[in-house]
Amino acid sequence: MSTRRTGLAMTKLSQVGVLGGGTMGSGIAQTALLAGVEVTLVDVDQGQLERARGVIGSGIERLVSRARIEAEQGEAALAALNTSTDLEALASAQGVIEAVSENLALKQGIFERLEHVCSDARFLASNTSSLSIQEICERMQDPSRVVGLHYFNPAQVLPLVEVVVPLTASDEAVDTAWAFVESTGKTPVRVKDTPAFIVNRLLVPFCLSALRLWESGVATAEDIDRACQLGLGHSMGPLATADLVGLDVLLDVAESMQREIGEPTLSPPTILRRLVSAGRLGRKTGRGIYEHGS
Ligand SMILES: NC(=O)c1ccc[n+]([C@@H]2O[C@H](COP(=O)([O-])OP(=O)(O)OC[C@H]3O[C@@H](n4cnc5c(N)ncnc54)[C@H](O)[C@@H]3O)[C@@H](O)[C@H]2O)c1
């Protein structure tokens, strides 16, 4: 990376907090636990915490049954998971990753509280996919510890983490977050705090272009996806990816990126709006661009 590594950043963190026990929070927690880090997982919903413990437990069991980790390592990882509905439980965390619902006001309120509760944390990170990190920390007195750590779904599997660097972040916070990501076996890339960062900035216009191609009748959905898989070496075509992400999510993200960036390639095609208004949202509703069996 381009910034100088501070000595402190090289110290391995032993205790982190994860805020939000949904899809992303549970995957991020599992990754840290398996790297030998103690994790406190906080969610406002006790039911979500129980679900997260179940998801992490079965994820770890699967790794043991496939001989990817020793049974003792799995047991130790699960024993290092603490859960709470109280944000104060993060008081002793050395770093925090926030993965609550994608809502700016909610995240701003949380970072305002984290600033005081987590006085010893060396970084306070948000896993937001589409919000500006600088806006998320706008209500804090000192935003220098805040960075973005953008994991990909499923977070316990995909190796990439985008380290999002706002103008307000200190080198120490960026370096510590970067070192933490590496210490859990993930690969960080550095990106400025810009709309959609790297991967989604490229993926969204790609999916929209594929939808336009399909809409214009140039080729079938299957052939568009097959062409990208076999011609570009992609593991999944853009239309299958759009169905996986959710066509409503794709539409929301495209509209918000278009507002900020204003490029014509980000304009959602009519077919996307029609599919969404018809309730054909992709895999989650069983039907989107493709029919998905139950
Ligand atoms: N799902 C993805 O593919 C994906 C990928 C990368 C990043 N993200 C980002 O990760 C974040 C979480 O997404 P997700 O898909 O895991 O959502 P999710 O709906 O599965 O989980 C969100 C969790 O946040 C909890 N929550 C809400 N308010 C809270 C509060 N005040 N304090 C503590 N917990 C609270 C909810 O109870 C829920 O368990 C979002 O910012 C999203 O943009 C999602």
Side-chain angles (χ1 to χ4, degrees):
M1 62 187 295
S2 54
T3 51
R4 181 180 47 87
R5 274 280 166 87
T6 55
L8 269 175
M10 304 306 285
T11 322
K12 191 174 183 290
L13 304 192
S14 56
Q15 197 187 359
V16 300
V18 177
L19 199 53
T23 311
M24 295 306 292
S26 51
I28 295 166
Q30 180 177 322
T31 300
L33 288 164
L34 285 170
V37 179
E38 187 182 332
V39 175
T40 301
L41 183 63
V42 171
D43 199 295
V44 280
D45 180 349
Q46 179 62 32
Q48 277 291 80
L49 289 172
E50 281 155 25
R51 265 189 293 279
R53 186 177 283 281
V55 167
I56 294 169
S58 42
I60 289 176
E61 256 172 48
R62 215 170 305 125
L63 292 174
V64 172
S65 70
R66 290 179 187 162
R68 301 270 300 279
I69 59 170
E70 298 291 334
E72 295 73 34
Q73 189 193 348
E75 280 159 27
L78 209 50
L81 173 65
N82 313 299
T83 58
S84 176
T85 52
D86 185 1
L87 189 130
E88 302 280 336
L90 301 180
S92 54
Q94 297 166 329
V96 174
I97 302 138
E98 166 277 313
V100 305
S101 321
E102 189 77 336
N103 175 307
L104 180 60
L106 172 69
K107 290 185 193 270
Q108 284 176 329
I110 281 175
F111 276 82
E112 220 177 349
R113 285 192 65 198
L114 287 176
E115 175 168 27
H116 301 291
V117 172
C118 306
S119 46
D120 292 339
R122 309 244 299 278
F123 67 84
L124 302 171
S126 175
N127 182 49
T128 180
S129 302
S130 62
L131 301 170
S132 152
I133 303 297
Q134 224 167 295
E135 272 187 66
I136 288 175
C137 55
E138 164 177 286
R139 291 204 221 144
M140 296 169 73
Q141 283 163 8
D142 172 14
S144 63
R145 288 184 291 160
V146 182
V147 297
L149 286 184
H150 186 222
Y151 287 75
F152 290 79
N153 186 11
Q156 66 278 24
V157 176
L158 293 179
L160 180 67
V161 179
E162 291 175 329
V163 177
V164 184
V165 182
L167 293 173
T168 42
S170 68
D171 283 353
E172 148 73 2
V174 177
D175 289 357
T176 314
W178 181 281
F180 167 73
V181 167
E182 282 187 326
S183 76
T184 60
K186 299 287 187 194
T187 302
V189 293
R190 184 183 170 112
V191 57
K192 289 180 184 167
D193 183 22
T194 46
F197 317 134
I198 300 172
V199 173
N200 288 339
R201 178 76 197 265
L202 296 170
L203 178 67
V204 171
F206 184 50
C207 291
L208 296 177
S209 298
L211 270 154
R212 262 181 234 112
L213 214 57
W214 177 52
E215 182 180 45
S216 69
V218 166
T220 62
E222 288 81 358
D223 278 350
I224 292 169
D225 278 346
R226 202 172 290 129
C228 294
Q229 288 177 275
L230 302 181
L232 297 173
H234 290 186
S235 58
M236 196 186 245
L239 298 175
T241 303
D243 262 5
L244 179 68
V245 168
L247 300 181
D248 53 337
V249 175
L250 180 63
L251 179 59
D252 275 355
V253 174
E255 283 176 335
S256 95
M257 284 174 72
Q258 203 195 17
R259 273 194 300 277
E260 280 217 58
I261 305 168
E263 285 170 2
T265 50
L266 292 167
S267 170
T270 306
I271 186 68
L272 179 59
R273 295 188 189 284
R274 293 289 182 273
L275 287 166
V276 171
S277 59
R280 286 175 55 173
L281 307 183
R283 279 204 196 178
K284 62 187 165 192
T285 57
R287 211 172 166 214
I289 298 163
Y290 291 100
E291 301 283 341
H292 300 276
S294 55

